[in-house]
Amino acid sequence: MNLTYFLFFICIIVCTLIITYWAAKRSQTTNSFYTAAGSLTGFQNGMAISGDFISAASFLGIVGAIAINGYDGFLYSIGFLVSYLIVIFLIAEPVHHLGKYSLGDVICARFPSKRIRLIMGCGAFAISILYMIPQLVASGLLIRLLLNIDYSLSVVVIGGLMTVYVVFGGMIATSWVQIVKTVVLMSGTFLLSLIVFSRFNWNITNLIEEVKQGTPLGDDFFSSGNLFNSPLELISLQLALILGTAGLPHILIRLFTVRNTVEVHRSLISATWIIGLFYLMTLVLGLGTVALLGYEKLIAADSTGNLAAPLLAREVGGDFLLAFISAVAFTTIVAVVAGLVISATTAISHDIYHHIIKKGKSTEKEQLRAARWTAVGIGLISILFALRLENTNVTFLVSLTFIVAASSIFPVLLLTIYWKRFNQNGVITGMVSGLIASLTFLMLGPHIMNPDGGWIAREAIFSLYNPGIVVIPIGFLGAILGSLLSPNSSQFSREFKPFYIKSQTGITTRRESS
């Protein structure tokens, strides 16, 4: 084991545990445990949202995708960036006004029903777990590769750490771990970008010429078609990324951690700038990998391209810079997984335990105890899944997460806020149709049915890897038809006006309160 790498990892773990110890003293109420008591400023929350959003897949995967596939690799990052415009203009302010701790609060502000809360709680929990498992599998493989530590031990250590953060520090610890992660990540990628540019005398033209020499694609490196053979595949992927982000529970519950809508806007604008700058730097790192390391060397070391950033760091800065970049990747994984744990915890302990099992009558102490035990249970479940999936390609789970969020939660959230005729039946049919369509089309697609290493060794029935272009309309259609064919839609239409005023302004009207 390399001592430099090990010391960097230990430093990160000690820093995050100190944060958790400090946060544990401040997480004595449900408000502080679930939302940090709204104590974050807009900029702090923007950094935490960035920390939540930029996963290891972004940091490691996109740099590699650009290095191998050129322009098409960069298209991934465009979808991630544009997705925030949907959140800012359509979702953020109403979610902050209507919710308290969870997405269930937002939907039940218009449709107060145990059945609706149960569906929303289960949906948020499932999406968080689906996203958590591939993160843990990737983290185990990464740590094994960099530190030569056994995969199982790596997964248990990271899973244990994220559980400790949430159990003892709640949203406060999770937020500050994400803020630290953002600072470390942006510093690391900025430093590496500067070093790359300095090797080409700060001249972008020189860099581009070296890229053309370093890749077998030549001039085609800067053209589309190297990764996405079909425009339909590209459009479908972008739809899932753009609309799915607006339905991810661990991103949306961050809108409750600031005091007012001014801070919500500051949060999202800060996050958009940080995420935008980050993806611009991944472009530099991807180009730098091809120019300085070369395509052949990258493929020989790792054919997936996931190690492009660490390999580039070693090429330009030796073991010390490689250790720093590896520690950045480690912090990225831990922060994202901690955010997912608290999202799943909120769905189970607040929506299902407090509101459904205890009928809203549990004490503050009982809620906190339930939340902490739930976090332990979620940590164990995700660790067990990750341990069993070591040799399985779980990238389809990431696709599934965005597609389910885009086709079930996003339509329900959007129609709840903006459509007068929407009703409870629409919520249920929208969630169920979006979920069933997502699972069905992914099962019939090349992620599962593939003669070349798929779970089912035969040609896929549905040819697209990302079925968003089909299943997202199905989710919307299910929600709309469920509402239009429902006999009691007029009652919800009458109650829409006070709800809409509250969602846009935060003002509770007399009619609604009665």
Side-chain angles (χ1 to χ4, degrees):
M1 180 188 295
N2 186 304
L3 184 62
T4 310
Y5 302 171
F6 183 71
L7 289 176
F8 265 93
F9 277 76
I10 291 297
C11 180
I12 292 291
I13 290 172
V14 170
C15 288
T16 52
L17 287 177
I18 290 172
I19 290 171
T20 305
Y21 176 75
W22 165 78
K25 296 179 179 178
R26 292 160 175 78
S27 295
Q28 302 304 317
T29 65
T30 49
N31 196 25
S32 59
F33 186 90
Y34 289 132
T35 66
S39 60
L40 297 183
T41 66
F43 184 64
Q44 289 168 346
N45 198 36
M47 293 177 77
I49 289 173
S50 309
D52 237 339
F53 189 73
I54 302 172
S55 66
S58 295
F59 177 53
L60 299 175
I62 287 184
V63 175
I66 293 170
I68 293 175
N69 304 296
Y71 177 75
D72 279 4
F74 187 61
L75 290 179
Y76 263 108
S77 54
I78 300 293
F80 284 123
L81 185 60
V82 172
S83 65
Y84 265 88
L85 298 178
I86 301 288
V87 180
I88 291 173
F89 290 115
L90 295 178
I91 302 294
E93 200 165 323
V95 166
H96 178 79
H97 286 315
L98 298 171
K100 187 178 179 185
Y101 298 144
S102 69
L103 279 182
D105 291 339
V106 177
I107 306 299
C108 288
R110 184 173 178 193
F111 308 117
S113 154
K114 285 182 183 176
R115 192 169 48 167
I116 298 292
R117 192 176 282 279
L118 179 65
I119 288 173
M120 294 308 299
C122 291
F125 173 76
I127 287 174
S128 301
I129 291 287
L130 285 175
Y131 204 26
M132 202 185 309
I133 293 169
Q135 301 287 336
L136 273 179
V137 172
S139 71
L141 296 173
L142 179 71
I143 302 301
R144 182 177 67 183
L145 196 66
L146 295 173
L147 291 182
N148 199 25
I149 294 176
D150 180 68
Y151 170 83
S152 301
L153 181 60
S154 304
V155 168
V156 170
V157 167
I158 293 179
L161 272 176
M162 73 188 186
T163 307
V164 167
Y165 298 153
V166 175
V167 168
F168 294 101
M171 182 58 95
I172 298 175
T174 305
S175 299
W176 281 99
V177 167
Q178 286 158 346
I179 290 169
V180 169
K181 168 259 183 93
T182 301
V183 171
V184 173
L185 176 70
M186 295 300 285
S187 306
T189 47
F190 184 64
L191 176 63
L192 200 49
S193 301
L194 287 183
I195 294 174
V196 167
F197 265 127
S198 71
R199 296 295 182 94
F200 298 95
N201 297 319
W202 311 100
N203 189 329
I204 186 82
T205 308
N206 293 343
L207 172 59
I208 290 173
E209 287 304 318
E210 286 298 322
V211 169
K212 290 178 183 175
Q213 300 299 319
T215 173
L217 297 173
D219 287 342
D220 289 340
F221 185 88
F222 298 98
S223 305
S224 61
N226 298 316
L227 179 60
F228 304 109
N229 295 324
S230 154
L232 205 60
E233 185 81 69
L234 176 61
I235 294 169
S236 191
L237 170 69
Q238 297 292 0
L239 269 179
L241 294 179
I242 291 170
L243 302 183
T245 300
L248 290 178
H250 72 290
I251 299 292
L252 295 178
I253 63 170
R254 294 223 58 88
L255 301 174
F256 305 137
T257 59
V258 292
R259 293 190 188 284
N260 51 50
T261 52
V262 174
E263 297 300 321
V264 167
H265 281 286
R266 282 179 183 158
S267 303
L268 293 169
I269 289 169
S270 305
T272 306
W273 273 105
I274 292 169
I275 292 167
L277 286 172
F278 169 78
Y279 284 124
L280 276 179
M281 289 191 287
T282 61
L283 178 61
V284 175
L285 301 190
L287 296 177
T289 302
V290 181
L292 294 170
L293 192 70
Y295 177 85
E296 300 296 339
K297 216 168 167 181
L298 170 63
I299 293 296
D302 172 29
S303 61
T304 67
N306 287 331
L307 289 180
L311 290 172
L312 175 65
R314 187 167 63 187
E315 182 73 18
V316 300
D319 269 3
F320 186 83
L321 194 53
L322 171 59
F324 179 49
I325 294 300
S326 302
V328 168
F330 175 73
T331 319
T332 298
I333 293 166
V334 167
V336 171
V337 177
L340 291 163
V341 171
I342 200 159
S343 166
T345 299
T346 305
I348 297 295
S349 59
H350 175 66
D351 284 329
I352 296 178
Y353 171 79
H354 175 63
H355 279 283
I356 297 175
I357 297 176
K358 288 292 184 179
K359 299 181 172 52
K361 294 177 181 173
S362 58
T363 64
E364 191 93 353
K365 193 175 176 182
E366 287 173 331
Q367 291 179 57
L368 269 178
R369 188 167 58 226
R372 287 178 168 136
W373 278 111
T374 303
V376 172
I378 289 167
L380 283 174
I381 290 170
S382 51
I383 288 171
L384 288 174
F385 271 111
L387 289 175
R388 293 184 65 84
L389 293 173
E390 176 187 357
N391 298 314
T392 308
N393 184 344
V394 291
T395 52
F396 78 95
L397 288 181
V398 177
S399 303
L400 184 60
T401 304
F402 277 89
I403 290 166
V404 169
S407 60
S408 57
I409 288 186
F410 177 70
V412 165
L413 195 55
L414 192 71
L415 295 174
T416 298
I417 295 169
Y418 294 104
W419 192 30
K420 186 177 178 180
R421 293 191 63 182
F422 199 43
N423 60 30
Q424 290 191 28
N425 290 338
V427 174
I428 295 168
T429 52
M431 285 290 290
V432 172
S433 58
L435 178 63
I436 291 176
S438 305
L439 291 173
T440 304
F441 278 86
L442 270 173
M443 289 290 179
L444 300 177
H447 278 301
I448 302 295
M449 302 177 70
N450 195 328
D452 189 17
W455 284 9
I456 301 173
R458 56 158 293 177
E459 288 295 332
I461 296 172
F462 184 72
S463 62
L464 295 182
Y465 281 89
N466 298 281
I469 198 165
V470 175
V471 300
I472 294 170
I474 289 177
F476 272 101
L477 194 62
I480 291 169
L481 288 178
S483 298
L484 293 179
L485 299 177
S486 175
N488 60 346
S489 58
S490 59
Q491 176 198 344
F492 295 106
S493 298
R494 286 195 301 272
E495 295 171 352
F496 179 71
K497 189 176 178 182
F499 166 84
Y500 186 74
I501 291 171
K502 183 179 179 182
S503 73
Q504 301 301 314
T505 65
I507 298 170
T508 302
T509 65
R510 182 177 299 174
R511 182 179 175 184
E512 185 196 20
S513 59
S514 65

